[in-house]
Amino acid sequence: MMSAAVSRRAAELAAEGTAFVTATVVRAQRPTSVRAGDVALVLADGTIEGFVGGVCAQQSVSVYALKAIESEEAVLLRIVPDGPVGEDPGTGREIAVEDGAVTAQNPCLSGGAIEIFLEPVLPSPRVLVVGETPIAAALVSLGAELDLTVLPVSNGAPEPAAGDLALVVAAHGRDELHTLRRGLEVGVPYVGLVASHKRGAGVLAELRRDGVTETELERIDVPAGLDIGSRTSAEIALSILASVVAARRGKRAAAPGNTQISVAAPTATLAVDPICGMTVAAVPGTPSLEHEGKTVYFCCDGCKSKFEAQHRAA
C-alpha cells in the first residue's frame, strides 16, 4: 500500500512534469524484507524513494525502471536469486522475457524471489503551435486526443525550450523566423513550418542569410506533415501530428527530407558489476571506487570488497 508520504511525493512529481516510475511489490517469497503492497518511486536518474527491498534488489529495480521510462511501457519484474542450472553466473542476467514481464537473476539477492510491478508515469510531451489559423486550432484540438500538451504561442510566449517535443509554425508569416531559430537552437526534435513549397523556400533562405546552417535548416519539415493528400485544416493537422508522433516514438516519418529522430527520457548511466556481472544504475549511493582512472560500480558493498581484495592480492 502506498504510504501518505510516497503518495504526496508522487503528486508533487506529477505536478512538476517529472518522469518517474511507481514500483509496487506484488509478491515476495520468504525470507525477504519486503511485503506485497510496498511501494516506492524511482526517478529518472535511477534513485529510489521508498522501500522495495535491500540494496541488491534495488539495483535490479533501478535498472528496469529506467528501461520502463525509456520504453514508456509498464513491466512486471521478477527478481530471482538463482538462474538455470549450468548458466554462467557472470553473464545474461535476464533469464526469461515475456510480453509485459521479465525475469532477472540477481546472484546477490539473499532472500526469496520478489515480483515488482513497474509503471512509468510520464509527463505529456509539450508541443508549441504558433499562429491563429484554422490549422493551428485543429492542432490544439486533435493533439489533446494523443496525450500531448499542445500550447498555443501568443505574443512570443511560451518560447521553445529544451525538452519540448515539437514546434509547429502555422502563422502565415507572423513570428516565424525568431521562433524557428529558437526551436532549432534548443534542439526541439520536430520543427515544422506550415507553408507552400515556394514560401517555405523563401523562409529557409531568410534563415540562411541570418546564419542558420544547412544542417539545421534540413531539420525544418516544410511543408509540415506527411503527404497524405490532405486538404482541410483538420486533415493537414492530422498529417502534422503523424510526424510529431513519429518523432515521439523515434521513427522515421514518411515525408521526404525527414531525418531519424530519437526521443527518450533522460536516464542514468548503466554499468556492469565486474564481480557478479549484474547491470547496475550508476547513481548517487551506488557502491563504487576509482580503479586505473575509471569509476567502477558494484551492486553491493560485498562485491566492492571482493574487487578490492582481488586487486590487493594482484
Side-chain angles (χ1 to χ4, degrees):
M1 179 178 179
M2 184 180 292
S3 68
V6 172
S7 180
R8 285 194 299 270
R9 179 59 172 153
E12 290 173 1
L13 293 171
E16 294 169 0
T18 301
F20 66 97
V21 170
T22 57
T24 305
V25 178
V26 297
R27 182 170 176 261
Q29 291 182 335
R30 294 181 180 180
T32 183
S33 55
V34 293
R35 298 176 300 174
D38 286 346
V39 181
L41 307 180
V42 187
L43 307 188
D45 64 359
T47 57
I48 297 178
E49 298 183 3
F51 184 71
V52 283
V55 63
C56 290
Q58 287 179 5
Q59 289 294 345
S60 294
V61 170
S62 289
V63 168
Y64 286 94
L66 296 179
K67 293 182 179 182
I69 290 177
E70 185 173 1
S71 68
E72 301 185 11
E73 295 182 355
V75 63
L76 176 64
L77 171 63
R78 303 185 183 102
I79 309 174
V80 298
D82 299 306
V85 175
E87 182 179 7
D88 181 352
T91 63
R93 300 274 67 82
E94 290 184 359
I95 59 177
V97 179
E98 311 165 52
D99 288 341
V102 59
T103 301
Q105 177 195 3
N106 186 321
C108 297
L109 193 67
S110 58
I114 307 172
E115 294 186 7
I116 302 172
F117 184 65
L118 303 174
E119 183 177 14
V121 180
L122 306 173
S124 297
R126 196 170 83 154
V127 176
L128 301 186
V129 178
V130 181
E132 298 178 358
T133 62
I135 293 174
L139 284 166
V140 173
S141 176
L142 293 176
E145 299 298 320
L146 300 174
D147 191 29
L148 299 172
T149 299
V150 185
L151 300 178
V153 174
S154 178
N155 297 322
E159 282 207 345
D164 288 344
L165 170 62
L167 166 67
V168 181
V169 178
H172 291 329
R174 297 181 180 179
D175 301 323
E176 289 181 334
L177 298 180
H178 168 76
T179 310
L180 288 169
R181 278 198 302 269
R182 179 60 180 165
L184 295 173
E185 287 171 358
V186 300
V188 175
Y190 177 82
V191 178
L193 173 63
V194 178
S196 65
H197 287 284
K198 181 177 180 180
R199 195 174 73 81
V203 172
L204 296 182
E206 287 190 62
L207 290 170
R208 189 178 293 110
R209 286 194 293 272
D210 287 344
V212 179
T213 67
E214 291 300 324
T215 300
E216 291 175 315
L217 292 176
E218 289 175 359
R219 293 188 49 231
I220 300 177
D221 185 19
V222 55
L226 303 182
D227 184 4
I228 60 174
S230 52
R231 295 183 180 181
T232 69
S233 296
E235 290 173 346
I236 294 171
L238 175 64
S239 73
I240 295 170
L241 288 171
S243 291
V244 172
V245 171
R248 181 182 186 182
R249 303 305 180 191
K251 303 297 183 182
R252 184 184 296 276
N258 279 6
T259 56
Q260 183 75 22
I261 302 170
S262 180
V263 182
T267 59
T269 301
L270 300 183
V272 176
D273 185 322
I275 297 299
C276 67
M278 272 187 59
T279 299
V280 299
V283 301
T286 300
S288 65
L289 55 77
E290 296 299 316
H291 177 69
E292 296 182 348
K294 297 181 180 179
T295 303
V296 183
Y297 292 91
F298 306 90
C299 72
C300 63
D301 288 326
C303 283
K304 177 181 175 181
S305 297
K306 290 179 182 178
F307 183 88
E308 290 175 315
Q310 287 179 0
H311 287 80
R312 278 199 302 268

